[in-house]
Amino acid sequence: MNFAEELKKRTRHADEVVCSFLPVAEGADETLLSAMNYSVRAGGKRLRPLMIESTCRMYGGNEKLAEPFMAAMEMIHTHSLVHDDLPAMDNDEYRRGKKTTHVVYGEAMAILAGDGLLSLGYETAAGAFARCSGQETAYVAKALQILSQKTGPGGMLGGQSVDVELDGQPLSEEQIDYIYSHKTGALIEASLMIGAVLAGAPDTEIAKLEAIGTDVGNAFQIRDDILDMTETTEELGKPAGSDERNKKTTYAGIHGVEAAEETVRQLSARALRQFDDLEAEEPFLRALLASLTNRRK
Amino acid sequence: MNFAEELKKRTRHADEVVCSFLPVAEGADETLLSAMNYSVRAGGKRLRPLMIESTCRMYGGNEKLAEPFMAAMEMIHTHSLVHDDLPAMDNDEYRRGKKTTHVVYGEAMAILAGDGLLSLGYETAAGAFARCSGQETAYVAKALQILSQKTGPGGMLGGQSVDVELDGQPLSEEQIDYIYSHKTGALIEASLMIGAVLAGAPDTEIAKLEAIGTDVGNAFQIRDDILDMTETTEELGKPAGSDERNKKTTYAGIHGVEAAEETVRQLSARALRQFDDLEAEEPFLRALLASLTNRRK
């Protein structure tokens, strides 16, 4: 397998799947639909949909069931970015080199676009019931449960709320860990789990995938801190050095770039050891998880 | 049946059901959970949960399936109020005589509390899968589909977006109709439909309930306009006369209070005629729908 080529091919496919579930921007609420499309189509690595597709394949699942969840996951992830960028939150004007949703559509419409993506995410995921039969119905119900638990309070939104509440304050290791594992980790855990659940993988495998997701999420977020400290605005597509300017306590800020790099390596190695322990194999997903250690944006 | 007593009894029960699904405010994201609890517990008539419970009973359904949807509906409705009150939207400081969520918890936490209620609403509704068996699984899947379609773009959020977009502008009858039937009507339609769907009522009945919901939603919203023009702030628990101050075009504002009262009577009469056409009976729900014509707050 040529990983770079396979990544390109699968990312293009994941992007097509995600976009195929977006509503056409027309009718009375055209502006809302347009803002939702803008936010999702502004780019992104489609990492979470790729993970869902990969673990579904890995356990021999029905990809027609994975597709609505791939789109749902990206909508819910994008919802969190749109709301996170709002003036009342991080007040970011650029993301992925493009103007953020509230800069283009105004604050009120950006709030509603985020709400719309969150709601449509669940609607899209629930659409998988129309694609399944027999035992698969139980898989979809379980995947929906994981999606909502990892998204809501107790999951991603719980992490966001602690991040907002402690904004600008010095944070303990425990608080940083809570924020990273929830704000970033929860949806990565969910993505790895959902594909396998839809394929009917046993609970023991789902639990291992969740643990892998936790390590990958932490590594991913610490890598994000490092990039913010070491890369340029142009390379990132968003303002570099923003954590320091915003007095944001980060893992890399506390421990320094070198120690943070070492932690990323350790987390990544542990995730890969756990991956090799799974009952099924997916060389692409293994390479994808490994590549997160070295990403440059 | 003594309607006033029955209403009191059922409202208390609906309130208990709704609150039983709210998470305890503790742990790292205690503030988020506390803001979510505050918003839902600030009161409200629990009209939508009452509707779900009533149509479920009406068709002999399993109330254990209705309960998660009653809570989910109130969470999603409250989500829309919390976001609607935000400074970037209506900028309201009081609702139901109490300070709005962003006044108490700050804007960022109110955005997340609204997101949390929307997400937890779907999580709670999906929890009904754990309470059902056999054919009921399909009922829950269908109810979830209705809930999400009536909530998202194309539903309530579509109505909100048009309301926001045309804010302060003179509106056509068609635009007012779109806003009322989506922003207010969609969740009332969904509430009447979902109870019946969970009870396995035939599609023809569901379609009639949807039409009843449309008329009731419109009547409800026009009554709201009238109250804003005729009642005091004290009676409403929120600032009276706000539509005029905000240059908001309303049905009652265009046609005057008397003509608006007449429209409410006509919509209500049509809804009740359709109600009498249904295959099942529920005297309490009939009285509840009739009472919406005369409500004073």
Side-chain angles (χ1 to χ4, degrees):
Chain A
M1 181 193 65
N2 177 325
F3 175 66
E5 266 181 32
E6 186 68 14
L7 177 64
K8 207 170 153 187
K9 201 180 93 188
R10 291 210 197 184
T11 303
R12 197 167 48 229
H13 172 67
D15 190 66
E16 281 166 12
V17 169
V18 168
C19 292
S20 73
F21 285 90
L22 288 173
V24 177
E26 61 185 14
D29 56 354
E30 186 180 344
T31 309
L32 174 68
L33 298 174
S34 165
M36 289 165 62
N37 270 275
Y38 175 82
S39 316
V40 175
R41 291 177 193 272
K45 293 178 283 290
R46 310 303 190 207
L47 191 62
R48 293 158 194 80
L50 281 177
M51 289 177 176
I52 294 177
E53 188 182 44
S54 298
T55 53
C56 183
R57 278 192 195 189
M58 189 167 168
Y59 294 94
N62 174 355
E63 288 183 30
K64 284 285 157 209
L65 288 191
E67 288 175 359
F69 280 92
M70 291 165 69
M73 180 58 77
E74 196 67 7
M75 290 177 196
I76 291 175
H77 170 58
T78 308
H79 140 265
S80 78
L81 303 181
V82 172
H83 281 189
D84 214 32
D85 288 337
L86 286 169
M89 311 274 279
D90 285 355
N91 198 19
D92 282 321
E93 296 187 356
Y94 285 90
R95 178 179 287 276
R96 298 165 182 161
K98 292 191 178 137
K99 285 183 179 165
T100 48
T101 309
H102 66 92
V103 172
V104 179
Y105 289 91
E107 209 176 323
M109 197 57 80
I111 293 170
L112 292 172
D115 293 346
L117 288 169
L118 181 56
S119 187
L120 187 64
Y122 287 116
E123 182 178 339
T124 303
F129 283 113
R131 297 175 165 220
C132 64
S133 59
Q135 181 60 20
E136 288 177 342
T137 305
Y139 301 162
V140 171
K142 191 173 169 193
L144 204 52
Q145 193 182 35
I146 292 171
L147 179 66
S148 57
Q149 284 171 350
K150 294 291 185 186
T151 296
M156 176 191 70
L157 288 168
Q160 294 253 49
S161 75
V162 175
D163 194 25
V164 157
E165 193 176 5
L166 302 178
D167 186 39
Q169 294 178 33
L171 303 180
S172 66
E173 290 268 350
E174 202 185 343
Q175 287 167 330
I176 292 180
D177 187 61
Y178 181 87
I179 294 169
Y180 286 16
S181 62
H182 287 75
K183 185 171 173 169
T184 309
L187 288 194
I188 292 178
E189 291 164 6
S191 299
L192 292 173
M193 294 163 82
I194 284 171
V197 163
L198 292 173
D203 284 348
T204 45
E205 293 289 283
I206 309 299
K208 286 184 206 162
L209 286 164
E210 185 174 22
I212 293 169
T214 308
D215 280 350
V216 169
N218 279 330
F220 190 84
Q221 186 57 50
I222 296 172
R223 166 64 63 201
D224 225 49
D225 301 348
I226 297 171
L227 292 174
D228 187 73
M229 291 168 78
T230 56
E231 300 293 304
T232 65
T233 296
E234 213 171 18
E235 284 163 324
L236 291 180
K238 61 183 179 184
S242 67
D243 292 336
E244 198 184 345
R245 269 196 310 284
N246 297 331
K247 299 197 171 67
K248 207 171 180 69
T249 315
T250 69
Y251 186 90
I254 291 180
H255 297 274
V257 169
E258 213 166 304
E261 290 271 15
E262 178 54 28
T263 303
V264 170
R265 267 191 296 275
Q266 284 175 8
L267 287 168
S268 179
R270 187 167 68 181
L272 293 177
R273 276 197 306 276
Q274 293 176 94
F275 192 83
D276 294 333
D277 245 17
L278 293 168
E279 285 170 17
E281 281 180 33
E282 232 286 83
F284 169 77
L285 181 56
R286 194 187 193 286
L288 179 69
L289 298 180
S291 76
L292 296 175
T293 322
N294 305 311
R295 72 190 173 96
R296 285 280 157 250
K297 63 178 183 176
Chain B
M1 180 193 65
N2 177 325
F3 175 65
E5 266 181 30
E6 186 69 13
L7 177 63
K8 205 171 155 185
K9 199 180 95 189
R10 292 210 196 184
T11 303
R12 195 167 48 226
H13 173 66
D15 190 65
E16 281 166 12
V17 169
V18 168
C19 292
S20 73
F21 285 90
L22 289 173
V24 177
E26 61 185 14
D29 57 352
E30 184 180 346
T31 309
L32 174 68
L33 298 174
S34 163
M36 289 166 62
N37 270 276
Y38 175 82
S39 316
V40 175
R41 292 179 193 269
K45 294 179 282 288
R46 312 301 190 209
L47 192 60
R48 294 158 194 79
L50 281 178
M51 288 176 177
I52 294 176
E53 187 182 45
S54 298
T55 54
C56 184
R57 277 191 196 189
M58 191 168 167
Y59 294 94
N62 174 355
E63 287 182 31
K64 284 284 156 209
L65 288 190
E67 288 175 0
F69 280 91
M70 291 165 69
M73 179 60 77
E74 196 68 7
M75 290 176 196
I76 292 176
H77 169 58
T78 307
H79 141 265
S80 77
L81 303 181
V82 171
H83 280 189
D84 214 32
D85 288 337
L86 286 168
M89 310 276 276
D90 286 355
N91 197 17
D92 282 321
E93 296 186 358
Y94 284 89
R95 179 178 289 276
R96 298 165 181 161
K98 293 191 178 137
K99 285 183 180 165
T100 47
T101 309
H102 66 92
V103 171
V104 179
Y105 290 91
E107 210 176 324
M109 197 56 80
I111 293 170
L112 292 172
D115 293 346
L117 287 169
L118 181 56
S119 188
L120 187 64
Y122 287 115
E123 182 179 337
T124 303
F129 283 113
R131 296 176 166 218
C132 65
S133 58
Q135 181 60 20
E136 288 177 343
T137 305
Y139 300 162
V140 171
K142 191 173 170 192
L144 204 51
Q145 193 182 35
I146 292 171
L147 180 66
S148 57
Q149 284 172 350
K150 295 291 185 185
T151 295
M156 176 191 71
L157 288 168
Q160 295 253 49
S161 75
V162 175
D163 194 25
V164 157
E165 193 176 5
L166 302 177
D167 185 40
Q169 293 179 33
L171 302 179
S172 67
E173 290 267 351
E174 203 185 341
Q175 288 167 329
I176 291 180
D177 187 59
Y178 181 88
I179 293 169
Y180 286 18
S181 62
H182 288 75
K183 185 171 173 169
T184 310
L187 289 194
I188 291 178
E189 291 164 5
S191 299
L192 292 173
M193 294 162 81
I194 284 171
V197 163
L198 292 173
D203 284 348
T204 46
E205 293 287 284
I206 309 299
K208 285 183 206 164
L209 285 164
E210 184 174 24
I212 293 169
T214 308
D215 281 349
V216 169
N218 279 328
F220 190 85
Q221 186 57 51
I222 297 173
R223 166 65 63 202
D224 225 48
D225 303 346
I226 297 171
L227 292 174
D228 188 71
M229 292 169 77
T230 57
E231 300 292 305
T232 65
T233 297
E234 213 170 18
E235 282 163 326
L236 291 180
K238 61 184 179 184
S242 68
D243 292 337
E244 198 184 343
R245 269 196 311 284
N246 297 332
K247 296 199 172 66
K248 205 170 182 71
T249 314
T250 68
Y251 186 89
I254 291 179
H255 296 275
V257 169
E258 212 165 304
E261 290 269 16
E262 178 55 28
T263 303
V264 170
R265 267 191 296 276
Q266 283 175 11
L267 287 167
S268 177
R270 188 167 70 182
L272 293 177
R273 277 197 307 274
Q274 293 175 95
F275 193 82
D276 294 334
D277 247 19
L278 293 168
E279 285 171 16
E281 281 181 31
E282 232 286 84
F284 169 76
L285 180 56
R286 194 187 193 287
L288 178 69
L289 299 180
S291 76
L292 297 175
T293 321
N294 305 311
R295 73 192 173 93
R296 286 282 157 248
K297 64 179 184 175

